[in-house]
Amino acid sequence: MCVRGFASGELVCRKGEYQLDLCFILRGTVDLYERKADKNTFKVASLSEGNFFGELGAIRGQPRTTDVVAAADDTSLLYIPRHCLTFLMGNPVARRMVTERYQERAVRVLAQGLELFKGVAQEFIEQLIRSCEIVRHETRGIPLIQQGEEADALYIVSDGAVQVVVDRPDGSHRILEYLRAGEFFGEMALLGGGVRSANVFTAGRCELVRLDRAAFMELCQRYPKVETHVRSVIERRHRQEKLITPEISEILERSGQLGYVQAAALLVMDLDLCVKCDNCVKACEALHGESRLVRSGVTIGKYLVPVVCRHCEDPRCMNSCPTGAVERRPEGEIYFQYDMCIGCGNCAIACPYDSIAMIETGKFDRAQAKKAAAVGRPFYRPYPVASHCAAPGLWERISAGHAKDEPERLTVVEFAQIHDRNETVSAATQGQVAAEPQVPVAFPIKCDLCNGLPFMGCVHNCPTGAAMRVSSATLFGQTQAIRGGSGPVRKAR
Ligand code: CMP
């Protein structure tokens, strides 16, 4: 946790940045700004003392949805990191406050960007916000809609992805599509035959906005353009369904099982182009002192997907870190903040894709020193962890919420003290200070997309252009390309 002070007009955060803290306004006011297509901004809301923002980032891991600017001198914000939210949510009043605000803003933000609601009056959208329901699921494979059932609602995906599967008369099934944030499902039965045409399952952690039948029908009646749009989507889906061969269905199924659908930056190697020189692996080792890349993994169509961090949309490593040492840069890369790391290995255990390795501290130090030398930075050892050093007044300092020019980031020691306050307080009262620093025996390493360097080592050093980073939406949006039918996919960056 930290407290930051801002002068009037100072930028707190930009739209699109991954700042995942919940921010409480301790003093002053902030204004929220949206950006129009012509890049001009307009104010959408003002929040004052006692209010908060950042619930979409803290709960869902979503980047900031507006620019936030301090609107009064001496504005002071308390930053509660994402990993501390569970403690806060233990308080029923705080939980209700944050959850209600989250629901309202999540639907409003979603509605703003949807083609489905184009031309719909704001009052009607507000009515929908009040009547809809938010449903969250944490794992894949949960049935949301069953083929043949009566239709009772339309669902809009607000986070994550769902998988559409059709059962065929011969007893087989085919994966038709993954639908992601901003897409809807359940429209066919509502506007057509009355019964569901396919099954829909969660494809991982996901969040849905459920509009009941009556609300959806009223929307279509009042706004015929909405119905026209939905019918055009149905036609497109019927056309696309005809292209799904058993082979494509199999590729889609495996990709879902392997979690590729949730990847924000997937490393893929076009096997038609790869000459197996291993330059990608060598470049990784040369840059980081230790290669985080192994040129083996799963083959999807003509692409090899090596076992390497894919910077998940829903990063379990980040959610499992007890000290907040796994962070996301404003641009989306997930990296380790080593001075916060206590070497517990939770991140490596939590990663479902084996993309994080724990390496012994001496080896880690040598690799870090080599990397620091390569980029011309001094090398400092990660913070040594002292157990339960007493720091009288720490809790009071945090609670009082000093305004500071620089973010006041808690060290792991301070975090541990807040975590275990009673022990700290009693240690402080008795004036005990634990002297022995404890250095973790191992540290986690993984790909951080060569953060801090002007290029990605593996991609940059591939002599044939076989290695590339793509978003899963790019890869799976081009299923023909995955099969090898229509050339390479477009690179993400
Ligand atoms: P409905 O028939 O009400 O319930 C199943 C839903 O799956 C259907 O509405 C669509 O929303 C969705 N669906 C069916 N076929 C496809 C497809 N080819 N592509 C994407 N979504 C589909």
Side-chain angles (χ1 to χ4, degrees):
M1 279 192 282
C2 70
V3 175
R4 286 188 71 183
F6 294 89
S8 179
E10 201 178 333
L11 184 72
V12 175
C13 60
R14 244 181 239 292
K15 179 175 177 169
E17 274 180 3
Y18 281 93
Q19 261 197 21
L20 305 179
D21 311 70
L22 188 70
C23 290
F24 271 93
I25 305 166
L26 299 174
R27 195 168 47 227
T29 313
V30 296
D31 289 339
L32 314 185
Y33 288 92
E34 262 296 345
R35 223 178 287 255
K36 288 192 210 150
D38 61 9
K39 299 241 163 62
N40 283 330
T41 54
F42 62 99
K43 190 154 87 179
V44 284
S46 281
L47 305 177
S48 54
E49 205 170 299
N51 213 326
F52 61 92
F53 61 91
E55 64 289 328
L56 293 181
I59 294 180
R60 193 199 271 177
Q62 184 178 328
R64 294 286 191 237
T65 53
T66 57
D67 289 356
V68 180
V69 178
D73 270 334
D74 224 7
T75 292
S76 140
L77 305 178
L78 172 67
Y79 283 66
I80 301 182
R82 200 174 177 213
H83 67 282
C84 294
L85 208 63
T86 32
F87 306 124
L88 183 75
M89 297 297 238
N91 174 330
V93 177
R95 189 172 56 239
R96 208 187 50 242
M97 220 168 98
V98 175
T99 316
E100 279 175 5
R101 180 66 53 83
Y102 171 76
Q103 295 224 354
E104 178 207 318
R105 287 196 189 150
V107 181
R108 189 167 288 123
V109 165
L110 178 73
Q112 273 166 7
L114 280 190
E115 179 76 21
L116 184 67
F117 293 131
K118 229 177 178 176
V120 177
Q122 191 58 33
E123 307 91 74
F124 193 71
I125 291 182
E126 295 298 324
Q127 187 185 319
L128 291 179
I129 289 172
R130 285 190 294 277
S131 68
C132 72
E133 189 191 342
I134 288 203
V135 190
R136 279 184 77 79
H137 294 287
E138 296 300 323
T139 49
R140 67 183 290 273
I142 296 174
L144 302 167
I145 274 184
Q146 257 181 317
Q147 194 170 331
E149 262 180 5
E150 287 282 322
D152 57 353
L154 178 93
Y155 294 86
I156 306 168
V157 184
S158 50
D159 186 31
V162 299
Q163 185 192 50
V164 183
V165 185
V166 68
D167 294 331
R168 294 162 59 84
D170 63 4
S172 65
H173 68 268
R174 289 223 178 129
I175 317 292
L176 299 182
E177 184 66 291
Y178 289 100
L179 303 175
R180 292 157 201 282
E183 295 180 284
F184 54 81
F185 61 92
E187 76 297 343
M188 288 185 184
L190 289 178
L191 288 186
V195 293
R196 300 299 193 189
S197 60
N199 305 289
V200 183
F201 298 95
T202 58
R205 189 191 74 164
C206 78
E207 185 188 88
L208 311 163
V209 174
R210 182 182 184 278
L211 271 190
D212 68 22
R213 171 197 276 272
F216 175 68
M217 294 321 260
E218 190 185 344
L219 175 69
C220 289
Q221 247 165 23
R222 282 214 201 176
Y223 298 95
K225 276 191 177 159
V226 169
E227 182 171 340
T228 311
H229 169 67
V230 175
R231 289 196 184 279
S232 75
V233 171
I234 294 178
E235 265 175 46
R236 175 164 50 78
R237 288 180 173 174
H238 282 318
R239 274 199 310 275
Q240 192 251 340
E241 186 171 340
K242 296 200 181 94
L243 303 174
I244 303 290
T245 60
E247 189 194 358
I248 291 186
S249 170
E250 166 71 21
I251 288 175
L252 292 176
E253 178 145 37
R254 283 184 74 201
S255 308
Q257 284 164 358
L258 294 163
Y260 296 159
V261 172
Q262 306 271 358
L266 200 60
L267 179 68
V268 295
M269 291 175 184
D270 185 332
L271 293 176
D272 287 353
L273 298 175
C274 178
V275 290
K276 302 189 174 48
C277 62
D278 250 358
N279 268 13
C280 48
V281 178
K282 288 176 199 155
C284 186
E285 186 167 353
L287 284 167
H288 308 294
E290 175 83 20
S291 180
R292 301 100 174 257
L293 169 61
V294 182
R295 202 173 40 76
S296 68
V298 175
T299 307
I300 297 285
K302 66 169 180 166
Y303 291 98
L304 171 72
V305 187
V307 182
V308 63
C309 175
R310 67 278 292 274
H311 304 267
C312 301
E313 286 167 4
D314 165 29
R316 303 229 189 128
C317 54
M318 187 187 269
N319 299 340
S320 71
C321 176
T323 65
V326 185
E327 294 212 346
R328 194 153 211 163
R329 286 201 196 279
E331 298 77 23
E333 298 95 330
I334 292 163
Y335 71 104
F336 296 120
Q337 178 85 20
Y338 283 115
D339 61 357
M340 301 285 287
C341 178
I342 54 172
C344 66
N346 274 13
C347 52
I349 296 167
C351 173
Y353 313 117
D354 266 348
S355 300
I356 300 176
M358 295 298 293
I359 64 166
E360 170 266 307
T361 301
K363 203 169 169 193
F364 171 84
D365 278 355
R366 285 192 293 281
Q368 290 294 309
K370 192 171 165 191
K371 184 175 178 193
V375 296
R377 264 195 287 110
F379 168 65
Y380 300 107
R381 194 138 204 244
Y383 212 88
V385 181
S387 60
H388 296 290
C389 294
L394 171 67
W395 182 255
E396 285 68 20
R397 208 179 83 213
I398 300 296
S399 312
H402 290 293
K404 290 237 168 188
D405 289 333
E406 287 301 319
E408 186 182 315
R409 179 115 230 174
L410 285 193
T411 65
V412 281
V413 177
E414 289 171 327
F415 179 85
Q417 286 170 340
I418 287 180
H419 216 31
D420 197 0
R421 195 187 160 206
N422 292 338
E423 196 170 331
T424 304
V425 170
S426 70
T429 330
Q430 291 158 25
Q432 297 164 358
V433 176
E436 274 303 295
Q438 294 171 358
V439 176
V441 292
F443 281 97
I445 59 159
K446 69 168 196 74
C447 166
D448 61 358
L449 297 176
C450 285
N451 208 279
L453 298 174
F455 51 78
M456 279 180 277
C458 54
V459 173
H460 187 74
N461 284 284
C462 175
T464 62
M468 60 188 107
R469 280 279 181 180
V470 291
S471 72
S472 73
T474 311
L475 188 66
F476 297 110
Q478 303 188 34
T479 31
Q480 292 299 325
I482 302 175
R483 288 171 71 206
S486 64
V489 293
R490 218 167 3 94
K491 294 186 189 190
R493 50 182 254 180

